[in-house]
Each structure stands twice: as structure tokens, then as C-alpha cells.
Amino acid sequence: MGHERFGSFGLATPPARKAIPADEAIALLKRGEAKAGSLLGYGNGRSYGDSCQNDAGMVVDMRPLNRVRSFNAETGVLEADAGTLLCDIIAHAAPHGFFPAVVPGTQFVTLGGAIANDVHGKNHHRRGTFGCHVEALTLLRSDGRTYRCSQTDNVRLFAATIGGMGLTGLILSASIKLMRVPSLDIMEKATRFRDLGEFFDLAEAADQANEYAVAWIDQLAGGHERGRGLLFTGNHAEHGSHAAARAGSRLSVPVLPPFNVLNRPFLTAFNAAYRWKKGKSATPRQASYQGFFFPLDGIRDWNRLYGPRGLFQHQSVAPEANARRIVPVLLEAARRAGEGSFLTVLKRFGDVRSPALLSFPRPGYTLTLDFPNRGERTLRLLTELDRIAVEAGGAVNPYKDARMGPEIFAASFPQWQQMEALRDPAFLSSFWMRTAKKLDVRRGSRKPRNR
């Protein structure tokens, strides 16, 4: 199997060297012959770092397992194979008036990947994470057994698998509860804010009044325009389309350019144009769901614009009490380092609790930044951003990460030892090796593992 099909979206992490088809991995697991640390489920490669890589073993190609098994048009409960893409779930349920309760920034993630990363969207303040809407899942472990996991069956495995980054076994299928909506279209409103103080003044009220809310920050703006941006709010339109649009785009970046196209002059011009175009009217407008939720899906392989060295994405969350102080400090650190972020997103997390043992969202504000990989100078900045976030009582997102140290991971997820105890011994990732396993060695390994 071609290794180029098993990369990470950030392109800064080498692609998997070995891959195995799902049916072969399933047979291996059922026979109880999978070796320690040899496997990791691989969805559609939309994780930015090495949480979807297993450099010491093989990744399991789950994409062929992509069947929608059942759908109840009365309750909105859908069961599908783990390799089913989110866009296909949307297309299946849309004619019946249902939509996933939580969607991330791309529709090209698999169901298993959405569960394993406990992804979040623009409505965390109302719906929580993706894991909040998982009714049950089936998990194949290296003891050869298939477990049905839910809030009542194999409860500890259920909690560890949601947000567990594929480490508890192979997710085969899942049932999720979709949300009834009047249409797929979104009534979108863009509100300009002059600085971060004005954004924070708007944010909580925006969450209370709207299903969806997210802010774009002009990270390169300086002087009196520092912290300016646009707050996007949205709700499903009462009168709109129930037909899912064709997933994908005719636009693409067909080849990998030899250099980073998204340089500072380009970003400065792009940010000014984007703010003018999107913020020129405060009147609500009806937008397609693809344009509102998945704007970057409109250009296939857009990550190639960063050139052969790829990009690093950094996402952190700061507690609500500290956010007004910490978010400006994070942005200032990036400006001081001379780094420009193509995508700078700020949004508010609510207090809806995930069933996951390890889940990144928690009450507060989350900031996402994209940086071209310029080597050591970029890594120094990312380390500084880690430090700022964690010292403020926050956390760094592991499935967006390609380089955080073990201590940052432990500070972000103090429950990591419980996760290690529930990890299937046959499953491992490059991320877990460079974070939790290093901590594990320092503290001494703990056996046996518990279900």
C-alpha cells in the first residue's frame, strides 16, 4: 500500500512507512496474534501531527469500512462503519431533516476519527463535543474480543475510546444521535470587532443567542488595529435546502510547490481582503452549510500551499477567568517571533461535559494558529505558546500537535495514566510514544491493564 496515502495533514510529520488493510488487521486481532505496539487505526489523515502515525508499527487503513448500516428517520440515530466519512453521513441524513450535532472544520473526517479525537465545532457552548452524541460503539481489541461500549456497557472502555486517539483498540462501527434541523443552510451574520476586548464583550451573548459562533482574528494587524477581527454567528435557516451538496471541489492545489506560498506579504493582503469582503455587511445572509462549516474544503489539498516543509497547527484553551489576559499574550508571542498565521480562530467553549476520559475542550476560550514550518524558530515559538497556555491553567490540543513535550501533555491531561492503563497493548501511536510513554518510563510501567 502506497505510504503517500497515509500522511498527516500538516505535512511536517513523515507519512506512515507501513500500512495494513482493515480486513487483515481485523483477522490478526481476532486470532490474538497482534504484537505489542504494532497497530493504529488510520481514518482519512486529517490530524495535523503524529497522533495518526505509528512509526514503530503499522497503521490500519479503515477507509474501506464505509457503510451506513442503519438510520432511524424518527429518532435521528445513525449507525455506520468507522471508516464512513462525515460528508457521507450528512448526505444520508439530510433529506430526513437531520445533521450531525457537532462537526469539525472539515467534512472529510471518518466517523472513527471523529470519535477517537472527540472533535468539537462551532457550537460547543450548546452541544459539547462529538463524543456527547455517541450512543454506542463496537471495539475490537487484541484479546480477540469485540466489545460493545456505551454509557452502560463497558463504561470505562467507552470513556477511554472517545478522545483516546485510537489507542484502546480498533473502532469498527458506532451509533450516533444526529440533530434535527429545519434545513442545512445557515443564516450567518458577521460582526466586526475593533480589538480583543470588544470580542470578549460580545462572545458570551453571541453564544447565548446562536447555535454557532466563531471568531476570525487578523493576527498580523498591528498598532491601533491589533486584535481586530470578525465574529461569525449562525443558526440553521428555517427555509433552506435539505439536499447535501457534492463533497469536494474542482479547485485544487495539484502539486506541492517548492516553497511556502503563504508568506507574510500574501497573508497581510489576504487578511485585509477577507475582513473587507466578509465584514462589509452586518446584515444576516443565508449561506450554504459547506461554506459556513467547511470553507477550506473548497480547495482540495490546500495544505500543500505551505510547501515541502509543511505546517504546524497550535490550538490551546485558556480558562475563562484568564482568557482576556492570555489570548493577547499568545498572539503577541507570535508577532514578536515574526510568524504569520494563515488561519487564526478564536471561540468560546461552554461547560457541556464530554463522556471522554481525555477530551481537549473545557470551559474557556480556544485559540488556533497555523504556522509554516521554518524549523527551529517555529519550534521555539510553539514551545513558548505551550508554556503560556499551561501556566495559565489551560491545555494544548494533542490531535493538532506534532511536537509537544511530555510535561506539556501531562499538564494538559492529568488523567493520562488512566488512559495508559486502558490502552490496548497492541495499539500505539508516535504521539503516545513521545509523550505518555516517556512519562511512563520515568515513573515505571504499570501492569496489568484494566477493562
Side-chain angles (χ1 to χ4, degrees), residues 184-188 245 285-294:
L184 295 185
D185 291 343
I186 301 294
M187 290 303 298
E188 175 191 64
R285 69 178 190 94
Q286 191 157 320
S288 72
Y289 76 94
Q290 292 204 3
F292 183 79
F293 294 111
F294 318 120

Side-chain angles (χ1 to χ4, degrees), residues 358-381:
L358 303 186
S359 186
F360 168 69
R362 56 207 74 184
Y365 286 83
T366 179
L367 178 70
T368 303
L369 299 153
D370 281 352
F371 300 112
N373 176 14
R374 294 193 173 96
E376 190 58 37
R377 61 179 281 190
T378 308
L379 293 174
R380 283 196 301 270
L381 169 61

Side-chain angles (χ1 to χ4, degrees), residues 126 182-189 206 209-212 233-238 285 287 292:
R126 289 199 177 182
S183 77
L184 295 185
D185 291 343
I186 301 294
M187 290 303 298
E188 175 191 64
K189 181 181 179 182
N210 297 281
E211 177 72 31
Y212 305 105
T233 53
N235 298 281
H236 287 274
E238 290 297 324
R285 69 178 190 94
F292 183 79

